[in-house]
Protein backbone atom coordinates (compact mmCIF):
# COMPACT_ATOMS: atom_id res chain seq x y z
CA UNK A 1 0.00 0.00 0.00
CA UNK A 2 1.31 3.44 -0.87
CA UNK A 3 0.31 6.25 1.44
CA UNK A 4 -0.20 9.73 0.09
CA UNK A 5 1.12 12.60 2.16
CA UNK A 6 -0.27 15.94 1.15
CA UNK A 7 -0.62 17.45 4.60
CA UNK A 8 -0.58 21.15 5.20
CA UNK A 9 2.89 22.34 6.24
CA UNK A 10 1.96 22.75 9.89
CA UNK A 11 0.95 19.12 10.29
CA UNK A 12 3.20 17.60 7.72
CA UNK A 13 4.42 14.22 8.85
CA UNK A 14 6.47 13.58 5.78
CA UNK A 15 7.01 15.30 2.44
CA UNK A 16 5.21 13.60 -0.45
CA UNK A 17 8.50 12.60 -2.08
CA UNK A 18 9.46 10.84 1.17
CA UNK A 19 6.34 8.67 1.14
CA UNK A 20 7.15 5.00 1.62
CA UNK A 21 5.44 1.68 1.29
CA UNK A 22 4.01 0.82 4.74
CA UNK A 23 3.00 -2.65 5.76
CA UNK A 24 -0.25 -2.91 7.70
CA UNK A 25 0.63 -2.55 11.36
CA UNK A 26 3.75 -0.57 10.70
CA UNK A 27 4.67 3.07 11.00
CA UNK A 28 7.55 5.03 9.65
CA UNK A 29 9.33 7.84 11.42
CA UNK A 30 9.80 10.46 8.72
CA UNK A 31 11.75 13.65 9.15
CA UNK A 32 8.65 15.33 10.54
CA UNK A 33 7.33 12.50 12.71
CA UNK A 34 5.50 9.25 12.28
CA UNK A 35 3.15 8.38 9.46
CA UNK A 36 0.17 6.33 10.57
CA UNK A 37 -1.18 3.61 8.37
CA UNK A 38 -4.46 3.91 6.48
CA UNK A 39 -4.88 7.55 7.47
CA UNK A 40 -6.04 10.12 4.95
CA UNK A 41 -4.46 13.55 4.98
CA UNK A 42 -7.73 15.04 6.29
CA UNK A 43 -7.81 12.55 9.13
CA UNK A 44 -4.15 13.18 9.90
CA UNK A 45 -4.94 16.88 10.30
CA UNK A 46 -7.75 16.13 12.77
CA UNK A 47 -5.61 13.80 14.86
CA UNK A 48 -2.58 16.07 14.88
CA UNK A 49 -4.70 19.11 15.74
CA UNK A 50 -5.90 17.34 18.88
CA UNK A 51 -2.34 16.47 19.90
CA UNK A 52 -1.34 20.11 19.41
CA UNK A 53 -4.34 21.38 21.40
CA UNK A 54 -3.72 19.04 24.31
CA UNK A 55 -0.03 19.93 24.39
CA UNK A 56 -0.89 23.63 24.31
CA UNK A 57 -3.14 23.10 27.34
CA UNK A 58 0.05 22.84 29.44
CA UNK A 59 1.42 26.20 28.26
CA UNK A 60 0.62 27.93 31.55
CA UNK A 61 2.21 25.22 33.70
CA UNK A 62 4.78 26.97 35.88
CA UNK A 63 6.74 23.87 36.83
CA UNK A 64 9.04 23.24 33.84
CA UNK A 65 9.70 19.60 34.74
CA UNK A 66 6.00 18.83 35.20
CA UNK A 67 5.32 20.50 31.88
CA UNK A 68 8.01 18.44 30.15
CA UNK A 69 6.62 15.22 31.64
CA UNK A 70 3.01 15.99 30.70
CA UNK A 71 3.80 17.13 27.16
CA UNK A 72 5.94 14.09 26.46
CA UNK A 73 3.40 11.75 28.02
CA UNK A 74 0.63 13.16 25.83
CA UNK A 75 2.83 12.99 22.74
CA UNK A 76 3.69 9.33 23.32
CA UNK A 77 0.19 8.33 24.42
CA UNK A 78 -1.42 9.86 21.36
CA UNK A 79 1.28 8.39 19.18
CA UNK A 80 0.49 4.94 20.61
CA UNK A 81 -3.25 5.39 20.07
CA UNK A 82 -2.70 6.56 16.51
CA UNK A 83 -0.06 3.96 15.65
CA UNK A 84 -2.13 0.94 16.70
CA UNK A 85 -5.42 2.58 15.58
CA UNK A 86 -6.82 1.85 19.05
CA UNK A 87 -10.48 0.83 19.02
CA UNK A 88 -12.92 2.25 21.54
CA UNK A 89 -13.51 -1.27 22.82
CA UNK A 90 -9.78 -1.76 23.39
CA UNK A 91 -9.55 1.56 25.25
CA UNK A 92 -12.48 0.43 27.39
CA UNK A 93 -10.65 -2.82 28.14
CA UNK A 94 -7.57 -0.86 29.16
CA UNK A 95 -9.61 1.33 31.53
CA UNK A 96 -11.25 -1.76 32.99
CA UNK A 97 -7.81 -3.33 33.46
CA UNK A 98 -6.53 -0.26 35.33
CA UNK A 99 -9.70 -0.12 37.42
CA UNK A 100 -9.20 -3.75 38.47
CA UNK A 101 -5.54 -3.01 39.24
CA UNK A 102 -6.73 -0.20 41.53
CA UNK A 103 -9.29 -2.38 43.26
CA UNK A 104 -6.82 -5.17 44.08
CA UNK A 105 -4.16 -2.74 45.33
CA UNK A 106 -3.80 -2.16 49.07
CA UNK A 107 -0.96 -1.56 51.56
CA UNK A 108 0.53 -4.99 50.82
CA UNK A 109 -0.60 -5.84 47.30
CA UNK A 110 0.67 -3.32 44.74
CA UNK A 111 -0.65 -4.22 41.29
CA UNK A 112 0.71 -1.07 39.63
CA UNK A 113 4.28 -1.98 40.63
CA UNK A 114 3.67 -5.43 39.14
CA UNK A 115 2.43 -3.82 35.94
CA UNK A 116 5.43 -1.51 35.75
CA UNK A 117 7.77 -4.43 36.46
CA UNK A 118 6.26 -6.81 33.91
CA UNK A 119 6.35 -4.15 31.19
CA UNK A 120 10.04 -3.50 31.88
CA UNK A 121 9.22 0.07 32.93
CA UNK A 122 10.70 -0.39 36.42
CA UNK A 123 13.91 -1.85 34.99
CA UNK A 124 14.23 0.92 32.41
CA UNK A 125 13.73 3.61 35.06
CA UNK A 126 16.45 1.92 37.11
CA UNK A 127 18.78 1.85 34.10
CA UNK A 128 18.23 5.55 33.47
CA UNK A 129 18.85 6.48 37.11
CA UNK A 130 21.74 4.18 37.97
CA UNK A 131 24.26 4.90 35.27
CA UNK A 132 27.21 2.54 35.21
CA UNK A 133 30.00 4.06 37.31
CA UNK A 134 33.54 2.63 37.66
CA UNK A 135 32.54 -0.91 38.61
CA UNK A 136 29.78 0.04 41.04
CA UNK A 137 27.40 -2.87 41.67
CA UNK A 138 24.48 -2.86 39.26
CA UNK A 139 20.95 -2.14 40.41
CA UNK A 140 17.80 -4.08 39.71
CA UNK A 141 14.09 -3.95 40.54
CA UNK A 142 12.84 -3.07 44.01
CA UNK A 143 9.69 -5.21 43.86
CA UNK A 144 6.63 -4.77 46.04
CA UNK A 145 7.74 -6.71 49.14
CA UNK A 146 10.13 -4.37 50.94
CA UNK A 147 8.94 -3.17 54.36
CA UNK A 148 10.45 -0.34 56.39
CA UNK A 149 10.41 -2.03 59.78
CA UNK A 150 12.46 -5.19 59.22
CA UNK A 151 14.21 -6.27 62.44
CA UNK A 152 17.86 -5.40 63.02
CA UNK A 153 20.23 -8.37 63.28
CA UNK A 154 23.85 -8.57 64.38
CA UNK A 155 26.55 -9.71 61.97
CA UNK A 156 26.31 -13.50 61.56
CA UNK A 157 22.70 -13.71 62.77
CA UNK A 158 19.90 -15.51 60.94
CA UNK A 159 17.46 -13.31 59.03
CA UNK A 160 15.14 -16.27 58.23
CA UNK A 161 13.41 -16.08 61.63
CA UNK A 162 11.96 -19.56 61.06
CA UNK A 163 10.92 -19.13 57.40
CA UNK A 164 11.25 -22.51 55.64
CA UNK A 165 14.16 -23.11 53.28
CA UNK A 166 17.74 -24.31 52.99
CA UNK A 167 20.10 -22.17 55.11
CA UNK A 168 22.48 -19.99 53.12
CA UNK A 169 25.56 -18.23 54.51
CA UNK A 170 25.87 -14.81 52.85
CA UNK A 171 29.03 -12.73 53.23
CA UNK A 172 30.90 -9.93 51.56
CA UNK A 173 32.13 -6.41 51.83
CA UNK A 174 30.79 -2.94 51.13
CA UNK A 175 33.32 -0.59 49.52
CA UNK A 176 33.46 2.51 47.38
CA UNK A 177 34.68 2.34 43.79
CA UNK A 178 38.30 2.86 44.94
CA UNK A 179 38.05 -0.20 47.17
CA UNK A 180 37.86 1.75 50.44
CA UNK A 181 35.75 -0.08 53.02
CA UNK A 182 32.45 1.52 53.97
CA UNK A 183 31.75 0.80 57.59
CA UNK A 184 28.28 1.29 59.04
CA UNK A 185 26.56 0.76 55.68
CA UNK A 186 22.93 -0.15 56.27
CA UNK A 187 22.13 -3.42 54.51
CA UNK A 188 18.48 -4.39 54.13
CA UNK A 189 17.89 -7.96 52.97
CA UNK A 190 14.63 -9.72 52.14
CA UNK A 191 13.56 -12.82 50.26
CA UNK A 192 10.78 -15.34 49.67
CA UNK A 193 10.74 -18.63 51.57
CA UNK A 194 11.09 -22.02 49.85
CA UNK A 195 7.34 -22.00 49.14
CA UNK A 196 7.80 -18.84 47.10
CA UNK A 197 6.06 -16.51 49.53
CA UNK A 198 7.17 -13.41 51.39
CA UNK A 199 6.22 -13.07 55.07
CA UNK A 200 3.73 -10.28 54.34
CA UNK A 201 1.88 -12.55 51.91
CA UNK A 202 0.95 -14.77 54.87
CA UNK A 203 0.02 -11.92 57.16
CA UNK A 204 0.72 -8.18 56.79
CA UNK A 205 2.24 -8.08 60.27
CA UNK A 206 4.50 -11.13 59.96
CA UNK A 207 8.27 -10.51 59.76
CA UNK A 208 10.51 -13.36 58.58
CA UNK A 209 13.19 -13.78 55.90
CA UNK A 210 13.97 -10.09 56.16
CA UNK A 211 16.24 -7.98 58.33
CA UNK A 212 18.70 -5.13 58.34
CA UNK A 213 22.29 -5.12 59.55
CA UNK A 214 25.32 -2.83 59.40
CA UNK A 215 28.75 -3.43 57.88
CA UNK A 216 31.69 -3.62 60.31
CA UNK A 217 34.82 -1.43 60.52
CA UNK A 218 36.35 -3.22 57.53
CA UNK A 219 33.14 -2.92 55.49
CA UNK A 220 32.44 -6.64 56.06
CA UNK A 221 29.06 -8.19 56.55
CA UNK A 222 27.72 -11.71 57.03
CA UNK A 223 24.43 -13.35 57.89
CA UNK A 224 22.41 -16.50 57.50
CA UNK A 225 19.56 -16.38 55.00
CA UNK A 226 17.82 -18.92 52.76
CA UNK A 227 19.00 -20.36 49.45
CA UNK A 228 16.79 -18.47 46.95
CA UNK A 229 14.21 -20.42 44.93
CA UNK A 230 12.07 -19.32 41.93
CA UNK A 231 8.58 -18.08 42.64
CA UNK A 232 5.70 -16.50 40.72
CA UNK A 233 4.85 -12.86 41.14
CA UNK A 234 1.29 -12.54 42.48
CA UNK A 235 -0.67 -13.58 39.39
CA UNK A 236 -4.26 -13.79 40.62
CA UNK A 237 -5.03 -10.24 39.47
CA UNK A 238 -5.16 -8.30 36.20
CA UNK A 239 -1.38 -8.44 35.65
CA UNK A 240 -1.46 -12.24 35.95
CA UNK A 241 -4.28 -12.32 33.39
CA UNK A 242 -2.27 -10.11 31.06
CA UNK A 243 0.77 -12.42 31.35
CA UNK A 244 -1.43 -15.43 30.64
CA UNK A 245 -3.06 -13.75 27.65
CA UNK A 246 0.31 -13.02 26.05
CA UNK A 247 1.77 -16.45 26.84
CA UNK A 248 4.26 -15.30 29.49
CA UNK A 249 5.20 -17.05 32.72
CA UNK A 250 4.74 -15.20 36.02
CA UNK A 251 7.95 -16.75 37.42
CA UNK A 252 10.81 -14.69 38.75
CA UNK A 253 14.37 -16.01 38.71
CA UNK A 254 15.48 -17.05 42.22
CA UNK A 255 16.97 -14.10 44.07
CA UNK A 256 17.87 -12.45 47.35
CA UNK A 257 17.08 -8.72 47.67
CA UNK A 258 19.52 -6.10 48.99
CA UNK A 259 19.20 -2.39 49.60
CA UNK A 260 22.46 -0.82 50.74
CA UNK A 261 22.84 2.77 51.87
CA UNK A 262 25.69 4.83 53.29
CA UNK A 263 26.13 8.56 53.74
CA UNK A 264 27.60 10.18 50.65
CA UNK A 265 26.93 7.14 48.49
CA UNK A 266 24.24 6.30 45.94
CA UNK A 267 21.75 3.92 47.55
CA UNK A 268 21.87 0.57 45.81
CA UNK A 269 18.74 -1.54 45.31
CA UNK A 270 19.65 -4.88 43.86
CA UNK A 271 19.41 -8.69 44.09
CA UNK A 272 21.77 -11.59 43.65
CA UNK A 273 20.73 -14.56 41.50
CA UNK A 274 22.15 -18.10 41.78
CA UNK A 275 23.96 -19.49 38.74
CA UNK A 276 22.11 -22.22 36.85
CA UNK A 277 18.68 -20.97 37.84
CA UNK A 278 15.95 -22.59 35.67
CA UNK A 279 14.23 -19.24 35.01
CA UNK A 280 17.32 -17.08 34.60
CA UNK A 281 16.96 -14.59 31.77
CA UNK A 282 13.25 -15.39 31.41
CA UNK A 283 12.66 -13.51 34.67
CA UNK A 284 9.22 -12.00 34.23
CA UNK A 285 10.34 -8.56 35.45
CA UNK A 286 13.56 -8.44 33.36
CA UNK A 287 15.65 -7.99 36.50
CA UNK A 288 18.56 -10.35 35.81
CA UNK A 289 21.96 -8.81 35.01
CA UNK A 290 25.03 -10.96 34.39
CA UNK A 291 27.08 -9.19 37.07
CA UNK A 292 24.47 -10.13 39.69
CA UNK A 293 24.56 -13.88 39.00
CA UNK A 294 26.59 -15.55 41.78
CA UNK A 295 27.71 -19.06 42.68
CA UNK A 296 25.74 -20.49 45.61
CA UNK A 297 27.61 -23.80 46.07
CA UNK A 298 25.58 -26.31 48.04
CA UNK A 299 27.42 -27.80 51.03
CA UNK A 300 26.79 -31.47 51.88
CA UNK A 301 25.17 -32.24 55.22
CA UNK A 302 27.81 -32.30 57.93
CA UNK A 303 30.08 -29.69 56.31
CA UNK A 304 31.31 -27.41 59.12
CA UNK A 305 29.65 -23.99 58.96
CA UNK A 306 31.64 -20.72 58.97
CA UNK A 307 30.40 -19.74 62.43
CA UNK A 308 30.09 -23.19 64.01
CA UNK A 309 26.30 -23.28 63.68
CA UNK A 310 25.03 -26.86 63.92
CA UNK A 311 22.94 -27.82 60.90
CA UNK A 312 21.46 -31.22 60.12
CA UNK A 313 21.02 -30.92 56.37
CA UNK A 314 22.64 -29.27 53.40
CA UNK A 315 23.33 -25.55 53.31
CA UNK A 316 24.70 -23.16 50.72
CA UNK A 317 27.00 -20.17 50.74
CA UNK A 318 27.54 -17.11 48.58
CA UNK A 319 29.92 -14.17 48.48
CA UNK A 320 28.63 -10.79 47.34
CA UNK A 321 31.03 -7.85 47.41
CA UNK A 322 29.07 -4.65 47.09
CA UNK A 323 30.55 -1.54 45.49
CA UNK A 324 28.67 1.74 45.98
CA UNK A 325 28.91 4.69 43.61
CA UNK A 326 29.17 8.16 45.12
CA UNK A 327 25.88 10.01 45.54
CA UNK A 328 24.97 12.29 42.70
CA UNK A 329 26.61 10.42 39.81
C1 LIG B 1 10.09 -9.39 43.95
O1 LIG B 1 11.18 -9.70 43.65
O2 LIG B 1 9.80 -9.46 45.09
C2 LIG B 1 9.15 -8.92 42.90
C3 LIG B 1 9.60 -8.06 41.96
C4 LIG B 1 8.75 -7.61 40.99
C5 LIG B 1 7.44 -8.02 40.98
C6 LIG B 1 6.99 -8.92 41.95
C7 LIG B 1 7.86 -9.37 42.92
FE1 LIG C 1 11.63 -10.85 45.28
Amino acid sequence: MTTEHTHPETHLDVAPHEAEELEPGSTSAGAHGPIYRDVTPEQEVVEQALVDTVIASFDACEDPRLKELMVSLVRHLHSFIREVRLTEEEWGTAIEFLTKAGHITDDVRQEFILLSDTLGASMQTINVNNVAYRGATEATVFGPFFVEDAPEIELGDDMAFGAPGEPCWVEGTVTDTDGNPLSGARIEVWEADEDGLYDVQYDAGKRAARAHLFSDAEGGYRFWGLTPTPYPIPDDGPVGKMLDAVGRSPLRASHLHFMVSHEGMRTLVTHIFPTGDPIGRKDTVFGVKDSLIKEFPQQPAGTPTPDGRALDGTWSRVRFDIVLAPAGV
Side-chain angles (χ1 to χ4, degrees), residues 113-114 117 141-145 190 198 231 233-234 252 255 257 271 285:
I113 295 183
L114 293 184
D117 292 344
V141 286
F142 195 42
F145 294 121
W190 67 105
Y198 285 82
Y231 66 87
I233 65 166
R252 286 225 58 200
H255 60 274
H257 292 261
H271 324 331
V285 303

Side-chain angles (χ1 to χ4, degrees), residues 123-206:
M123 215 42 233
Q124 195 65 284
T125 307
I126 288 160
N127 287 340
V128 166
N129 287 279
N130 293 266
V131 288
Y133 182 84
R134 298 185 58 220
T137 303
E138 290 191 282
T140 188
V141 286
F142 195 42
F145 294 121
F146 174 75
V147 299
E148 296 282 352
D149 62 352
E152 180 174 348
I153 57 169
E154 298 300 319
L155 291 164
D157 279 356
D158 187 0
M159 60 76 103
F161 291 108
E166 182 185 66
C168 177
W169 176 254
V170 186
E171 65 188 341
T173 54
V174 186
T175 63
D176 66 16
T177 51
D178 291 321
N180 300 310
L182 292 171
S183 91
R186 183 180 175 114
I187 306 169
E188 299 271 357
V189 286
W190 67 105
E191 64 180 322
D193 65 20
E194 70 178 0
D195 296 321
L197 292 169
Y198 285 82
D199 48 4
V200 291
Q201 293 177 284
Y202 293 100
D203 164 358
K206 184 172 155 80

Side-chain angles (χ1 to χ4, degrees), residues 296-323:
F296 280 67
Q298 191 181 53
Q299 312 295 309
T303 309
T305 55
D307 62 347
R309 179 181 179 184
L311 289 173
D312 290 336
T314 60
W315 54 283
S316 69
R317 64 186 309 159
V318 62
R319 181 165 189 96
F320 180 36
D321 292 324
I322 298 162
V323 181

Side-chain angles (χ1 to χ4, degrees), residues 38-52:
D38 301 335
V39 173
T40 62
E42 293 79 4
Q43 176 65 13
E44 184 90 15
V45 169
V46 171
E47 292 176 11
Q48 188 57 45
L50 178 60
V51 177
D52 294 345

